[in-house]
Amino acid sequence: AYIDRCVQLHNDRTGEQPDVIAVFMGTNDYSYYQSTLGTAEIDYAALITDRGDGTFDYAKPATTCEAYAIMLHKMTQRYPDAEIYCLGMLSRRDPDHDGREVVPPPTSFNAELKAIVERFGGTYVDVESFIPATASEFDRYMSDRRVHPNAAGMDKITEAVVETMLQRQGTL
């Protein structure tokens, strides 16, 4: 998605451009590939090279953070007038055989994502604080007791996005 899908958000037939873009990705990267998450401390000049003619070259990302940065750069270039809202990671419950959590809360990684989002002029949405990671609360919002939101969970995510949009507009 960070390569192609991020610049295919317009209507090819009418040319209509998105006003608002919501990005909610990275959960699998966080959950399964933590060694390659990276940080917001990226050498952006080496990652994104301006050709000087309105086009760019992109280095192959070595981390999730670098891929996220490339995606945001591509989006902001393709859709310069769109408001971009990037949702942080939700906690994931993935108990091992003894019932212990084996995936740590994404709070630290969310801070890295927030820094990248803000660098590209987007708005970070803190969904982690809307769905508590405690077992009893978490299970109320997840369909599989691990990571996939049910209807109530999607309502909480929507609440986080709407509240963030209203705050950005100064109406909340």
Side-chain angles (χ1 to χ4, degrees), residues 97-108:
H97 302 308
D98 297 325
R100 294 173 295 162
E101 297 305 314
V102 293
V103 178
T107 308
S108 295

Side-chain angles (χ1 to χ4, degrees), residues 1 15-16 19 25 27 36 46 57 60 64 84 90 105-106 109 113 115 121 123 130 148-149 155 160-161 168:
E16 186 176 6
D19 296 325
M25 61 180 266
T27 298
T36 59
D57 288 319
K60 182 179 179 183
T64 298
I84 299 175
L90 288 171
F109 184 60
L113 286 183
T123 302
F130 277 75
H148 299 102
D155 285 347
V161 172
R168 183 176 186 274

Side-chain angles (χ1 to χ4, degrees), residues 10-17:
H10 56 282
N11 185 322
D12 279 337
R13 192 173 38 79
T14 66
E16 186 176 6
Q17 303 289 307

Side-chain angles (χ1 to χ4, degrees), residues 5 15 30 33-34 50-52 71 93 97-98 112 159 164:
R5 179 70 178 117
Y30 178 74
Y33 306 107
Q34 290 192 32
D50 188 341
R51 291 183 181 167
M71 175 201 63
R93 291 180 54 80
H97 302 308
D98 297 325
E112 302 297 334
E159 182 182 333
T164 302

